[in-house]
Structures are given as structure tokens and as C-alpha cells.
Amino acid sequence: MSRDPLIVGGIVGTVVDYFDASARLRVLYSNREITNGSELRPSQVANQPTVHITGLPGSHYTLVMIDPDAPTPSNPSQREYLHWLVTDIPEGRDVRHGTEVVAYERPQPTAGIHRIAFVVFRQAVRQAISAPGWRSNFITRDLDECYSLGGPVAAVYFICQREGTCGGRRYR
Ligand SMILES: *[C@@H]1O[C@H](CO)[C@@H](O)[C@H](O)[C@H]1NC(C)=O
């Protein structure tokens, strides 16, 4: 049995194929760093987080933030829902130094426990990525393939459910 949290949480499989991490991704909401499988309330993720990517000096990275459980985990007909897309993030600098292609949209799940994942790709070159026409039915694997991004280099996910809901299944 694998103990890799991305496999346990189903991010590897649903969103990306297995990869060996070659960059370090830190996502902080109000100075609190998220860990794989931790739960955050919608009110805690209202504003865009600080994101640091440490990898190959001089490189640029692409960040996607998606919800594979939209609109509900039992019927994810909008899978994947795109919350944020930023390209050309310089290694070692905050995400604000990148190019925001699709603006941050706060997660506001209405039903069920949603996984929200951040996936990072290293760009071979600085490149323009065009904004998809809509946020629903985004496919991270297609972005990877379309722009020859070469597979993910880092990822992390948290879980989120409607404010005021108690209990429920936790992944960790
Ligand atoms: C999340 O899990 C992945 C895969 O094991 C790992 O590479 C990454 O460092 C973890 N992130 C955090 C913040 O723990």
C-alpha cells in the first residue's frame, strides 16, 4: 500500500499520473502552510495564497489550482474546475511575479468534501499559455500535453467543504 498522500488522496490517478517530485511547492494561506490532506474552511481560502516554488534556478514554472470534485464528489460533472492558472513564475520568487492567466477564484463547495489541488510544471521556455474559455471541465493532463510541459514536478492538495458542516470523511 502506498503512503504517498497524493496517491492516497487520489490526486495521482484522477488529475495527474505518478511523478517524482523535483521541485518544492509551498502554499500558504495567511502564513499557514497547507499540508497534503489538511482541511481548510472556505473562509480560510477566500484570498489567494502565497506560493513559493523552489526548483531549478533560472527556471519558470506554471501553477494550476483545480477542484476534481465539482460540483459534487459523487457526480463530478465539471471535473476539473479551474480555480487559478499562473505561468512564468520565476523559481524562488512568489507567484505574484508570474503571469496570471486565469484569476484566483475562491473555493466555495456547496456539497460534499472537495479536494483542491495545486499542480506545478517546469517550463522548458518562457511561454504564453492561453486562457481556457471557461473554468469547468479543465483537464490538467491536456494542458501538460498541449504545451509540452513534461509532467508535474510538484503538487499538494487540501480538502474543503461548506462552512458549518461537521464531521465527514477525512483523508488523513
Ligand atoms: C505532498 O505530497 C507530495 C507527494 O508525496 C510531496 O511531494 C509534497 O512534498 C507534499 N507536500 C507537502 C506540503 O507536504
Side-chain angles (χ1 to χ4, degrees), residues 3-6 19 21 23 25-26 33-36 154-157:
R3 296 202 151 267
D4 186 322
L6 295 176
F19 65 95
L25 169 64
R26 299 178 66 220
E33 183 176 351
I34 66 165
T35 55
N36 286 301
V156 66
Y157 83 100

Side-chain angles (χ1 to χ4, degrees), residues 22 55-56 58-62 120-125 148-153:
S22 59
L56 207 60
S59 293
H60 288 81
Y61 292 86
T62 292
V120 168
F121 297 92
R122 189 173 80 82
Q123 301 168 208
V125 291
S148 304
L149 294 170
V153 293

Side-chain angles (χ1 to χ4, degrees), residues 15 20 44-45 65 73 88 91 94 101 118 121-122 126 128-129 135-136 140 151-152 157 159-161:
V15 180
D20 283 315
Q44 294 175 300
V45 296
M65 173 186 177
D88 284 337
E91 191 273 342
D94 182 70
V101 178
F118 296 86
F121 297 92
R122 189 173 80 82
R126 296 193 67 161
I129 288 181
R135 291 179 187 256
S136 299
T140 299
Y157 83 100
I159 59 172
C160 189
Q161 61 184 319

